[in-house]
Amino acid sequence: MKSNRNPARLDAWDYRILSEIQSDARISKSELAKRVHLSASACSERLRTLEAAGIIEGFYARLSPALIGGMVFVMVEVVLDRHRLEDQRHFETAIQEFPEILDCWAIGGRIDYLMRVATHSMATYQDFMEGLLQAGLGIDQYYSLVVTKPIKSNSPIPLSALRRR
């Protein structure tokens, strides 16, 4: 049965479902239905619609870097040597192949991209960056910002703020 609701138009039920699964993606469908005050079938249908619309992109486990062997996280500001569309596309496509790059955002302003990189040590980070420079990605300059202590990360999207719009 296909829903007639427009998935781009989220309502209060959708926001409740999204809020709950952001804080606990392993929640059972029956428990989710209880928490958002919907029948199990209505809640499951809304969840399927949200997934099919691409609003829910996936479900992930958050790991403890300290308990799996420690990691060094570095925020890397990247400036490309050329700013043609094909140069940007080349860079954006190429970095998909590097698992060390956890996140990459195109940025407006003095830098072109901001990346979050994870490695086992500063030595492996330096080796990684040297490899990126040699990979022909068009990197002109990069600036490293070493994360010394995470304060807040992997926060859920503040859906309550979106509902007020």
Side-chain angles (χ1 to χ4, degrees), residues 117-134:
V117 174
T119 64
H120 293 289
S121 69
M122 285 307 296
T124 56
Y125 167 73
Q126 191 58 46
D127 290 343
F128 171 74
M129 288 307 300
E130 288 172 8
L132 273 188
L133 291 172
Q134 293 171 357

Side-chain angles (χ1 to χ4, degrees), residues 141-159:
Q141 299 175 346
Y142 73 94
Y143 305 94
S144 304
L145 306 161
V146 178
V147 176
T148 58
K149 176 173 75 170
I151 305 300
K152 182 178 181 181
S153 64
N154 297 321
S155 299
I157 294 173
L159 297 174

Side-chain angles (χ1 to χ4, degrees), residues 56-86:
I56 299 172
E57 294 182 339
F59 298 90
Y60 306 93
R62 185 175 18 225
L63 306 179
S64 169
L67 297 179
I68 59 171
M71 301 291 292
V72 172
F73 294 95
V74 182
M75 304 302 289
V76 184
E77 299 176 344
V78 175
V79 177
L80 298 182
D81 56 6
R82 292 185 292 189
H83 295 89
R84 297 177 306 177
L85 183 57
E86 60 263 25

Side-chain angles (χ1 to χ4, degrees), residues 70-108:
M71 301 291 292
V72 172
F73 294 95
V74 182
M75 304 302 289
V76 184
E77 299 176 344
V78 175
V79 177
L80 298 182
D81 56 6
R82 292 185 292 189
H83 295 89
R84 297 177 306 177
L85 183 57
E86 60 263 25
D87 297 317
Q88 294 168 340
R89 285 186 178 151
H90 173 69
F91 176 83
E92 292 170 10
T93 300
I95 63 150
Q96 302 299 321
E97 302 304 316
F98 296 95
E100 297 88 346
I101 301 173
L102 304 178
D103 299 296
C104 181
W105 302 276
I107 303 292

Side-chain angles (χ1 to χ4, degrees), residues 4-23:
N4 292 330
R5 293 183 319 105
N6 178 350
R9 301 188 80 203
L10 302 176
D11 63 17
W13 299 110
D14 296 323
Y15 283 116
R16 288 181 191 143
I17 291 168
L18 294 171
S19 291
E20 289 295 330
I21 65 170
Q22 277 194 111
S23 60

